C-alpha cells in the first residue's frame, strides 16, 4: 500500500484533499506538523507520496511549499487536487445555536466567516486555535456551549455535527494541493506542466519566455512572480502551462526556454484537475 | 491631521508599517478588525488614507485586499511600504528563558519559529492567538511564565521586553503594504504603477499585453494571475511596472493595453519603496 504524507492533524483541508485524491484506493496515511517535515519524511524515504498546499491555503505555508520545490530534491508533481473552501459550524451532537457561547477556529476561518458570526452569534467569544482540526478536537473534548469552524472532514474525524453549512462570507475561495512523488504522471491527453524559472532583471526578459510559449501555441494557466532569495532585482516565476512535457511542442518550447533563463526546473506533468465551480 | 486606518490591533505588522510610513509626521490612527472594515471606513469618508497588506502577510486576507482593489471604488494606491518580517520573543520585564512554560502567538509565526522553539523551548506549550498583538496583550496581562512571538511594535505597545531577537527560521520573509487614498502620488522620477487587467482565456493573450510593455521598454516588477470570479477559464492579472502613469511611454503603453484587455484598472502610481534587504 502507498504511504502518503500530509500536513496534519486529521480533519484539516489537507486531510480532505488526501481523501479526495485517494478515492477508493487503500493507502497508509502519515501526518506531519509542518510542510518542511512532510518534505523531510519524503526525502528520507518514509513516504511514497506527499500532498501539500500550493495555492490559497488557510493552512498557510504555501511559501514553504514553493521554497522546497525550487530545490534540487528529485521530487516531481504527479497530481493536483483542487477543493473549494467550505466552512461549517461544528458542534457536539444535540447542541443548539442558542447554546453556543464560544466559537473556536484558526484565525483565518474566523475572519472568513465574520458576517455569519455577526448575524447569528453576535455575543459569542471567538477563540483562536492552531488549526481547524485542533478547534474541532477541542469542541469534541469540551462540555458543550462551544462550536468550531472547520471542514466536513473535521466533523467526521471528531464526531461532530454540522449545525450550519457553508458559513463562509464568500463562495469563490478554493485551495490547490499538489501530490509529490519520485516521478511525474503518464500522459493522459489533458495534462498540465508546472515549472519554475528565473530571468535577469531587465525589461522584456519575461516577455521573451512567453514569446516562446506563444510560438508553440502553449496556453499558460498560472503565473506568479516572487523576488529570488539570492538578492533583489531578480525574480523567480512559477508557471503552469497546458500540455505534457513529453508532448512534442511543449518539449521543444521548454528546450528553448532553458536557453533563455538563468534557472529552469520542470516540476512535473500531471492530469488537469476537474475544478469544482469556484 | 491626516486620519489613517489600519488593520488592528496596535502592535501588529500593519501597525508597524503605518509607523514606518508616517515617520515624524503627526496623524490620527484608527484601527479596524478586518480589511473589509478598513475599506468600508475609507469609502464612508471616515479616513483620509488606509494602509493594508497586499503581499505575503501573516495577517492574512491579502486576497481580501486584492478583491477590494478590483472594485470601482475611487481609491488609489499612493504609497507602498515594505517591511521585513522579524519575529521576536517577547516577555514581561525580568522573565528569564528558563521560566517560560507557554508561548503564545498567531499560528503562522509559531510555525515560522519552529526551529528556535524546538531548540530553545522544547517543553513549552504553544498557544494560538488571533494576532501577534493579541498574544503580546495576553502576556502583558498574565502572571509570568509566558512569552509571545511578535513584532517590535507589539513589544513597545504592550510594554514587553525583547528577550530574543529575530527568532524566525528564515530571514528572507517580508510583507508589502499599500497606502490607499483619494488620489495617487505625484511623479518623483523613481515610481511604480500598479494595474489589474483581465484577458480572454486563449493562448497568447497575456503575451500580447507584455509585448506592448516590451515595445515601450517598460519593466515589470511583479505579476500574479488568479482565476476571475466570474467563472473558470478567465484570469485576472495583478501587475506592477516601473514608471509613473503620467510618463509619456507608460501612458502610451497603457492606452494600448486598454484596447487589448477585456478589463483594465490602473490602481495608481507611487514612489518605489527602498526595500530593506530581503
Amino acid at each position: 500500500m502507498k504511504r502518503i504524507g500530509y500536513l496534519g492533524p486529521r480533519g484539516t483541508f489537507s486531510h480532505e484533499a488526501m481523501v479526495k485524491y485517494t478515492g477508493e484506493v487503500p493507502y497508509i496515511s502519515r501526518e506531519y506538523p509542518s510542510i518542511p517535515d512532510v518534505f523531510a519524511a519524503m526525502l528520507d524515504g518514509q513516504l511514497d507520496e506527499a500532498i501539500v498546499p500550493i495555492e490559497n491555503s488557510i493552512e498557510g505555508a504555501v511559501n514553504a511549499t514553493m521554497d522546497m520545490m525550487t530545490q534540487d530534491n528529485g521530487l516531481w508533481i504527479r497530481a493536483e487536487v483542487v477543493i473549494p473552501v467550505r466552512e461549517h459550524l461544528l458542534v457536539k451532537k444535540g447542541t443548539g445555536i442558542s447554546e453556543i457561547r464560544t466559537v473556536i477556529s484558526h484565525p483565518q476561518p474566523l475572519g472568513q466567516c465574520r458576517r455569519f458570526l455577526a448575524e447569528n452569534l453576535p455575543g459569542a467569544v471567538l477563540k483562536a486555535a492552531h488549526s481547524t482540526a485542533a478547534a474541532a478536537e477541542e469542541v469534541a473534548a469540551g462540555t458543550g456551549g462551544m462550536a468550531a469552524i472547520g471542514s466536513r472532514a473535521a466533523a467526521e474525524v471528531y464526531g461532530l455535527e454540522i449545525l450550519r453549512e457553508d458559513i463562509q462570507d464568500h463562495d469563490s475561495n478554493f485551495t490547490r494541493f499538489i501530490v509529490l512523488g519520485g516521478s511525474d504522471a503518464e500522459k493522459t491527453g489533458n495534462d498540465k506542466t508546472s515549472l519554475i524559472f528565473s530571468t535577469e532583471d531587465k525589461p522584456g526578459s519575461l516577455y521573451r519566455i512567453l514569446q516562446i510559449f506563444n510560438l508553440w501555441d502553449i496556453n499558460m494557466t498560472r503565473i506568479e512572480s516572487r523576488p529570488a532569495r539570492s538578492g533583489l532585482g531578480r525574480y523567480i516565476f512559477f508557471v503552469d502551462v497546458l500540455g505534457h512535457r513529453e508532448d512534442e511542442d511543449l518539449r521543444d518550447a521548454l528546450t528553448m526556454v532553458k536557453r533563455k533563463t538563468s534557472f529552469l526546473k520542470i516540476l512535473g506533468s500531471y492530469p488537469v484537475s476537474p475544478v469544482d465551480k469556484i
Side-chain angles (χ1 to χ4, degrees), chain A:
Chain A
M1 260 192 292
K2 252 197 302 205
R3 299 160 301 169
I4 306 181
Y6 72 101
L7 178 63
R10 295 187 68 203
T12 57
F13 284 105
S14 287
H15 183 219
E16 193 163 328
M18 183 177 61
V19 170
K20 182 170 176 183
Y21 168 62
T22 51
E24 301 297 310
V25 182
Y27 63 97
I28 298 162
S29 76
R30 294 202 177 146
E31 68 172 65
Y32 297 89
S34 79
I35 288 175
D37 287 328
V38 177
F39 274 89
M42 187 74 203
L43 294 173
D44 199 34
Q46 296 171 30
L47 300 171
D48 300 302
E49 291 182 354
I51 188 161
V52 285
I54 185 79
E55 198 178 341
N56 202 18
S57 166
I58 67 149
E59 283 138 28
V62 166
N63 283 342
T65 300
M66 291 214 181
D67 286 346
M68 300 300 287
M69 292 310 293
T70 60
Q71 292 167 23
D72 187 18
N73 51 21
L75 299 181
W76 292 85
I77 302 179
R78 50 182 296 114
E80 65 170 349
V81 184
V82 180
I83 58 170
V85 174
R86 299 182 56 188
E87 305 284 3
H88 309 302
L89 191 70
L90 314 179
V91 294
K92 276 186 130 166
K93 283 196 174 65
T95 305
I97 196 148
S98 61
E99 299 163 54
I100 298 169
R101 301 278 166 272
T102 309
V103 179
I104 312 173
S105 198
H106 184 284
Q108 199 162 333
L110 285 173
Q112 286 168 344
C113 302
R114 283 172 44 81
R115 201 182 307 153
F116 172 87
L117 293 170
E119 284 167 12
N120 296 279
L121 292 161
V125 174
L126 306 182
K127 192 177 162 197
H130 291 286
S131 66
T132 53
E137 193 177 5
E138 192 171 339
V139 169
T143 53
M146 295 192 295
I149 295 176
S151 67
R152 181 169 299 276
E156 281 160 16
V157 168
Y158 299 100
L160 297 178
E161 197 171 75
I162 297 181
L163 189 60
R164 292 285 190 281
E165 273 195 324
D166 289 324
I167 61 169
Q168 67 279 359
D169 293 343
H170 299 286
D171 275 337
S172 55
N173 228 343
F174 68 97
T175 300
R176 204 159 69 95
F177 295 83
I178 51 173
V179 179
L180 302 171
S183 62
D184 55 352
E186 300 286 322
K187 209 153 112 170
T188 67
N190 184 22
D191 306 297
K192 207 186 225 184
T193 299
S194 294
L195 43 142
I196 301 177
F197 59 80
S198 177
T199 61
E200 282 172 46
D201 179 30
K202 53 184 187 189
S205 18
L206 175 63
Y207 164 73
R208 276 185 289 276
I209 305 300
L210 300 195
Q211 199 168 29
I212 298 168
F213 290 130
N214 188 57
L215 213 58
W216 268 275
D217 266 343
I218 286 157
N219 203 359
M220 223 167 44
T221 60
R222 182 183 178 216
I223 180 165
E224 198 171 313
S225 67
R226 49 182 64 207
R229 287 218 163 164
S230 47
L232 275 177
R234 295 185 67 196
Y235 298 89
I236 291 184
F237 296 92
F238 292 78
V239 167
D240 288 353
V241 293
L242 292 183
H244 196 285
R245 66 189 173 93
E246 285 172 359
D247 294 344
E248 211 171 326
D249 283 358
L250 185 51
R251 198 181 51 213
D252 289 351
L254 291 175
T255 306
M256 271 193 77
V257 166
K258 195 171 169 52
R259 293 176 50 169
K260 295 283 177 191
T261 49
S262 49
F263 167 79
L264 170 68
K265 188 182 171 200
I266 297 167
L267 303 178
S269 296
Y270 49 91
V272 172
S273 155
V275 183
D276 305 52
K277 178 104 181 65
I278 50 175

